[in-house]
Amino acid sequence: MADLTGKGMFSAKTVCIVTGASRGIGRSITVNFASKFPPGSLVIALSRDVEQLAVTKTLSTKANPAVTIVTHVFDQGTLDQHVYETLLKDSLQGRPASEFQQAVIIHNAGSVGSEFCRNLTDVNQVSHYLNVNVAGLVALNAQFMQVFKDIPSKVVVNISSLSALQPMASWGLYCSGKAFRDMFLRTFALEQPNVRVLNYAPGPVDTNMFHKEGIQETKAEDHLEALRAMEKNLLAPDTTVNRLITILEKNVFESGAHIDYYDEL
């Protein structure tokens, strides 16, 4: 981003990867970012849900026909090394990485997985959760850096949460996963001073994850009551994504910082 001479990240011909792009915040990021990128840019939308990815592609193309939208079915919990090594290269569809002025990745994919810590006796369940929310992000981020190593301007955004900073009963895996992602990308920012890195907490958002994995599956009663209270003031996905866009456009944050929707800019 620093290489764009103050014009802002949405002025550059960009390749942008969005995980968890089939609905909610991920879909909103894909559509809104696509609407702002200049002609010739490429947005790669990743998700497990092929049908909902098609909807995201239609909405994004309508928002900006001059930007190419590529969808790719991707399970971030996979342990298939070949998938990680070929995913981004295949998604470029023959276009050279050097064609782009900027590379952006938005790490949005994730899950809640509500359970009390004392009950996490199934090692396969725990391992799968960590594969989706931690290992998959680490591996994909490294592949992003390899594939786009020659692009001087790079931006990495992790969709974080208040849960990365504050424990919440029966969300032990979720809080730990979010905390890991934040710290991993803070370390990554330290190692890669030429990459702009942001941990963005979007606030309580009106998504399927909030209602299903949050309201319906949360097991701690006090935590559930707090979620139900939030339900009255949920943010629309576009509202929080527009805040993210503002933060990125202003580009004054410390690389690796954790910034919440409600923080003053």
Side-chain angles (χ1 to χ4, degrees):
M1 227 149 101
D3 299 299
L4 301 179
T5 62
K7 294 181 180 178
M9 68 171 281
F10 294 103
S11 67
K13 185 177 179 181
T14 299
V15 53
C16 176
I17 299 98
V18 184
T19 68
S22 60
R23 52 172 51 89
I25 296 172
R27 172 177 286 170
S28 180
I29 289 170
T30 306
V31 174
N32 283 286
F33 278 43
S35 74
K36 295 182 71 66
F37 286 130
S41 295
L42 171 65
V43 176
I44 300 168
L46 305 177
S47 172
R48 293 176 300 172
D49 192 330
V50 63
E51 292 183 0
Q52 290 302 315
L53 272 178
V55 175
T56 298
K57 180 174 182 176
T58 298
L59 293 171
S60 301
T61 301
K62 183 178 180 181
N64 189 352
V67 168
T68 300
I69 311 298
V70 171
T71 60
H72 207 299
V73 174
F74 172 60
D75 179 358
Q76 194 165 278
T78 184
L79 297 179
D80 187 339
Q81 184 66 28
H82 180 71
V83 169
Y84 287 97
E85 291 176 351
T86 59
L87 176 66
L88 298 182
K89 294 176 184 176
D90 289 351
S91 297
L92 286 171
Q93 298 188 335
R95 296 173 69 174
S98 59
E99 174 185 334
F100 301 99
Q101 298 172 288
Q102 176 177 244
V104 177
I105 187 165
I106 313 294
H107 293 295
N108 170 66
S111 58
V112 174
S114 178
E115 184 54 88
F116 291 106
C117 296
R118 66 177 181 271
N119 294 335
L120 293 171
T121 56
D122 187 335
V123 68
N124 291 314
Q125 176 190 354
V126 174
S127 295
H128 179 69
Y129 183 89
L130 295 175
N131 289 338
V132 172
N133 293 278
V134 172
L137 177 146
V138 171
L140 185 61
N141 195 71
Q143 289 296 328
F144 169 80
M145 291 297 293
Q146 295 300 314
V147 172
F148 302 112
K149 62 182 182 297
D150 295 327
I151 298 179
S153 181
K154 288 185 277 290
V155 182
V156 175
V157 178
N158 168 44
I159 300 303
S160 185
S161 169
L162 176 62
S163 303
L165 309 177
Q166 179 176 310
M168 298 181 180
S170 77
W171 279 18
L173 285 176
Y174 183 73
C175 295
S176 301
K178 288 295 187 182
F180 177 98
R181 288 162 64 132
D182 268 32
M183 181 53 75
F184 177 79
L185 287 173
R186 284 178 62 191
T187 305
F188 172 75
L190 180 67
E191 295 174 348
Q192 303 289 332
N194 293 326
V195 179
R196 296 292 281 147
V197 182
L198 174 66
N199 292 298
Y200 176 66
V205 184
D206 189 3
T207 63
N208 183 67
M209 177 181 282
F210 182 91
H211 293 288
K212 184 177 184 300
E213 296 190 52
I215 296 292
Q216 293 183 24
E217 297 181 9
T218 293
K219 298 185 177 182
E221 192 59 38
D222 289 351
H223 187 188
L224 184 57
E225 288 179 11
L227 291 173
R228 285 174 175 152
M230 289 181 197
E231 205 170 9
K232 303 170 185 176
N233 298 295
L234 293 179
L235 301 167
D238 285 353
T239 300
T240 193
V241 170
N242 284 329
R243 182 70 163 175
L244 171 60
I245 287 171
T246 298
I247 293 167
L248 292 171
E249 286 180 325
K250 286 191 173 184
N251 193 24
V252 295
F253 58 89
E254 178 184 358
S255 192
H258 176 108
I259 299 179
D260 192 278
Y261 171 86
Y262 293 104
D263 289 345
E264 292 186 13
L265 300 184

